[in-house]
Amino acid sequence: MKFKEALLIKYGEISLRGDNRHLYEKRLLRIIRRRLSRFDGLRAMYENGRFLVECDTEEFDYDSVMPIVSKVSGIVALCPCLMTDERGIGEIYEIALFYMNRAYADRPFTFKVKTRRANKSYPMHSQEISAAIGEYIINAMEMSKVDVHNPDVTLCIEIRNHIYIYADTVKSLGGLPYGSSGRGMLLLSGGIDSPVAGFLMAKRGVDVTAVYFHSPPYTSERAKDKVLDLARVLSAYTGYFKLYVVPFTDTQLCLYKQAQPEKLTLLLKRSMLKIAEALGQKEKCHCLITGDSVGQVASQTIQSLAAVESAAAMPILRPLAGMDKQEIIDLARKIETFDISIRPYEDCCTVFAVKHPETKPNKTAVEAAERRVRGLDESVAEAIESAEIFEITEREITERDAPREIFTL
Ligand code: ATP
Ligand code: MG
């Protein structure tokens, strides 16, 4: 009986892609390899509709590997398994029994066996294999009982290039491989919402670059550090991450001095979008991403969003549009941005907030008000020119402490 521990990785939606499927698979495999590059003796490879992570030793360090892989989008499930090259049904019985004994000896349990035969050259059909292994286990384990409808344990046998035996399936992140859905420029404030928005789009495969608008001395260095820390957390899901920090004080003062107070926030947001779009073009982005949620504050009513978004031609994705604040907070906790977001440093929009902002602005009037602001275009152009770049490199990501818990949504 020869076998060893390995990790079988299932991917979701990309298996539905037609002709491009192999490109998605290739991209995802590359990402998995990069994330696992911190481990010696591990190999990730394609395995007939799955990925396989194999190690040099008999024992696999699931506790270290699974938390990292669970943050890779495009993967739907992780299955710690026993893997063998023995093809005889007799050997498969034995390994299956070893697996079950290891996990379920000395206690009653119900089970069923589910076989998938991706390699059709195997001489028995899936049903036959399941029935034969089921019978072998019942006979060998006194306290076992078959229940095909509602079993405690589903023992899976997968016949591919190798043969895999497992019963645990750990649900993973889902989504699409990072970078397979184009590129987006995320407006990343230090708040609760925008990091969650960035996470959600990254999960759908959008390659995210971020921009933060910094207004010293009204916003402190610590507010900027907070955004950098948020970028670091996001990079555990995305890999390499680039953050632009845009000096926004002049633009903000220019608007503050000249604009009607009730339109100030809208005009600030419009300038942010213009700058984000210009930087997005540099980065070959296809869209902008914001943390707007409909109706959350005055500048996020539908009318306000409409009056703001005409500042940019790029489509604006707002993945939080339909979410309640509590739902956003729950997600922020899960992805571990929440504790950073609630550090009490001021945001540039809060510093310049007015008492009675418009909630149902007229887009044409807002655009006209913007045209009356002298020196705005110059100030926006200057902000774009002076943006500073911060990078979180792949190396930094692999050298930091690995997460200890498996990530689930
Ligand atoms: P967040 O929690 O993301 O800060 P918020 O609830 O505070 O959002 P607003 O201040 O109206 O809402 O901001 C709406 C969106 O505008 C943010 O989600 C973010 O995408 C963008 N934004 C706001 N301020 C900044 C900033 N200083 N830098 C970058 N983007 C910003
Ligand atoms: Mg904010």
Side-chain angles (χ1 to χ4, degrees), residues 187-189 191-194 211 213 269 291-292 296 299-300 348:
L187 284 85
L188 180 64
S189 73
I192 296 170
D193 303 327
S194 43
V211 53
F213 296 93
K269 288 268 149 73
D292 296 312
Q296 200 186 81
S299 61
Q300 295 176 26
C348 62

Side-chain angles (χ1 to χ4, degrees), residues 183-309:
R183 303 167 73 98
M185 179 60 81
L186 167 70
L187 284 85
L188 180 64
S189 73
I192 296 170
D193 303 327
S194 43
V196 176
F199 163 79
L200 285 174
M201 293 328 301
K203 175 176 177 288
R204 285 306 294 168
V206 179
D207 184 328
V208 176
T209 302
V211 53
Y212 165 61
F213 296 93
H214 188 40
S215 302
Y218 305 101
T219 54
S220 65
E221 275 304 292
R222 282 179 303 181
K224 181 171 107 186
D225 290 343
K226 174 175 159 182
V227 177
L228 265 165
D229 283 346
L230 288 170
R232 279 190 193 98
V233 173
L234 288 177
S235 70
Y237 307 92
T238 63
Y240 170 85
F241 196 95
K242 188 189 273 188
L243 170 71
Y244 283 91
V245 175
V246 171
F248 199 53
T249 318
D250 288 351
T251 307
Q252 213 156 2
L253 289 175
C254 172
L255 286 167
Y256 185 67
K257 283 178 194 151
Q258 297 181 59
Q260 298 154 269
E262 66 277 14
K263 290 195 170 48
L264 180 61
T265 310
L266 299 172
L267 294 176
L268 281 172
K269 288 268 149 73
R270 285 179 63 91
S271 290
M272 284 188 188
L273 287 183
K274 283 182 200 177
I275 296 167
E277 181 173 50
L279 297 173
Q281 276 157 355
K282 262 199 214 174
E283 291 292 330
K284 302 200 168 36
C285 291
H286 308 95
C287 64
L288 303 176
I289 304 165
T290 71
D292 296 312
S293 159
V294 171
Q296 200 186 81
V297 288
S299 61
Q300 295 176 26
T301 62
I302 291 284
Q303 293 87 340
S304 296
L305 294 177
V308 166
E309 79 172 3

Side-chain angles (χ1 to χ4, degrees), residues 1 3 82 93-103:
M1 186 163 71
F3 59 85
L82 296 182
Y93 289 163
E94 291 299 331
I95 300 169
L97 180 62
F98 172 85
Y99 182 94
M100 296 302 275
N101 260 324
R102 194 172 68 173

